[in-house]
Amino acid sequence: VGDANHSVYAVDASTGAEAWKFMVQGPVQSSPAVVNGVVYVGGSDGVLYALLQKSGTQIWNFSTSGYLQSSPVVADGRVYIGSDDASIYAVDALRGNLSWKFKTGAPIDSSPVAYGNLVLVGSYDGIFYALDGVTGKVAWTVNVGGGISSSACVVNQTVIFSSQCHPKPCSGGRIYATDLTKGSMLWSQGGFQSGDVAPPVAVGDGMLVTSTKNGTMALKITNGELLWSSPVPGQALRVRAGHVLVSGGDFAGSVFALSAATGHVEWMRQFPESVYSTPAIDHKAVYVSTGNGLLPGGSLYAFGLTVNNAIVI
């Protein structure tokens, strides 16, 4: 996990004891990706790092021209990450060499999605890009007119993503569904709080959930029909075992658990600081980090998925 103190930490999942710490040259807002014993993470210093999972020893680093808020995704031997320099990079996962670079018209904070032979990513230029994962060439694009800062999800050959203001003057964010093959628009839903639409998350094959300042809602993937809504606000989501976990972000210093079937609030856990992180879940616990934006401080917590008994790490 990264923090505002320019560090990446590895901790024991059972006890919270620090295993190792790696210092970078800026705050770490990017979520690490761990593949085949290697930790890949980006920093606000504009550098993508590859570290040994066991020791935190650096294997290689790759510099971009802007800070990295996007989280890396690893697929087919390449690491894909977006940068504030308006580019998405494909870097060789083993050696750290540049495979390709694609320039958009504005910064990229959203995290890429690798699906099949495509890399899917949105930019603040208001365009959603589908790129060939091997060459970086454009397969298709969709211009939605509002900046895209959230990541996409793919289910049943449908790509779901959200944008900020659309159209201008701002009337709130929107969620879009496009065909994976050609990028054809299938449907869109609007009226969400501008700039605060959490990355959509699929629940099985038929439903997706997202969250805003005004609440959390579930939509039907086939047509965008509203299935349920909850007043619980949030900026990040995770779905597991019939539960929707919502991190309150700037809107609530809490994590909420909702029923994926009904949206009913099952429990909530309050924290002394904001919860910006997407909850991570394994067979033992739920893990979230808290903090005050880019200010020093913050904690990592572990607690049960169905029992509201947090343990501070």
Side-chain angles (χ1 to χ4, degrees), residues 6-291:
H6 304 190
S7 301
V8 179
Y9 297 87
V11 301
D12 185 284
S14 298
T15 66
E18 181 181 310
W20 52 258
K21 174 182 176 182
F22 181 82
M23 294 290 294
V24 302
Q25 299 302 310
V28 180
Q29 295 176 278
S30 171
S31 296
V34 183
V35 178
N36 296 329
V38 179
V39 179
Y40 302 94
V41 64
S44 295
D45 55 4
V47 180
L48 173 65
Y49 297 90
L51 314 174
L52 284 175
Q53 181 181 4
K54 288 185 178 181
S55 64
T57 303
Q58 180 176 285
I59 303 170
W60 54 256
N61 67 70
F62 177 86
S63 295
T64 73
S65 300
Y67 69 78
L68 301 177
Q69 186 167 314
S70 169
S71 297
V73 62
V74 184
D76 300 323
R78 286 175 289 274
V79 186
Y80 303 101
I81 193 166
S83 173
D84 188 57
D85 65 12
S87 297
I88 179 170
Y89 293 83
V91 179
D92 182 272
L94 184 62
R95 299 176 179 85
N97 300 322
L98 179 66
S99 297
W100 54 258
K101 170 185 173 182
F102 180 84
K103 186 80 169 180
T104 72
I108 301 174
D109 284 348
S110 66
S111 302
V113 172
Y115 193 90
N117 64 334
L118 296 177
V119 176
L120 307 165
V121 68
S123 169
Y124 276 114
D125 63 7
I127 300 175
F128 188 84
Y129 297 86
L131 308 175
D132 184 283
V134 177
T135 67
K137 293 183 178 180
V138 175
W140 52 261
T141 63
V142 177
N143 191 335
V144 300
I148 302 169
S149 60
S150 71
S151 304
C153 68
V154 182
V155 60
N156 290 340
Q157 300 297 300
T158 299
V159 182
I160 313 290
F161 64 95
S162 61
S163 76
Q164 298 182 4
C165 293
H166 178 80
K168 294 183 178 179
C170 183
S171 61
R174 296 188 71 88
I175 292 183
Y176 304 85
T178 66
D179 173 71
L180 176 65
T181 305
K182 298 180 179 179
S184 304
M185 187 66 66
L186 302 176
W187 56 261
S188 70
Q189 288 282 10
F192 301 105
Q193 181 73 20
S194 172
D196 296 320
V197 183
V201 178
V203 182
D205 293 333
M207 183 172 73
L208 67 93
V209 290
T210 189
S211 192
T212 73
K213 178 180 180 180
N214 296 331
T216 301
M217 67 280 315
L219 306 174
K220 187 179 292 187
I221 288 177
T222 54
N223 59 14
E225 175 188 347
L226 180 66
L227 297 175
W228 55 255
S229 64
S230 166
V232 167
Q235 287 181 297
L237 303 161
R238 181 78 71 185
V239 177
R240 179 65 63 88
H243 308 277
V244 179
L245 298 182
V246 183
S247 294
D250 288 322
F251 315 131
S254 305
V255 171
F256 304 87
L258 311 180
S259 165
T262 65
H264 174 73
V265 178
E266 298 171 328
W267 54 259
M268 66 172 289
R269 175 75 192 189
Q270 290 185 308
F271 300 92
E273 300 162 315
S274 297
V275 185
Y276 297 107
S277 65
T278 301
I281 307 172
D282 64 13
H283 64 286
K284 296 179 180 179
V286 179
Y287 308 91
V288 297
S289 59
T290 67

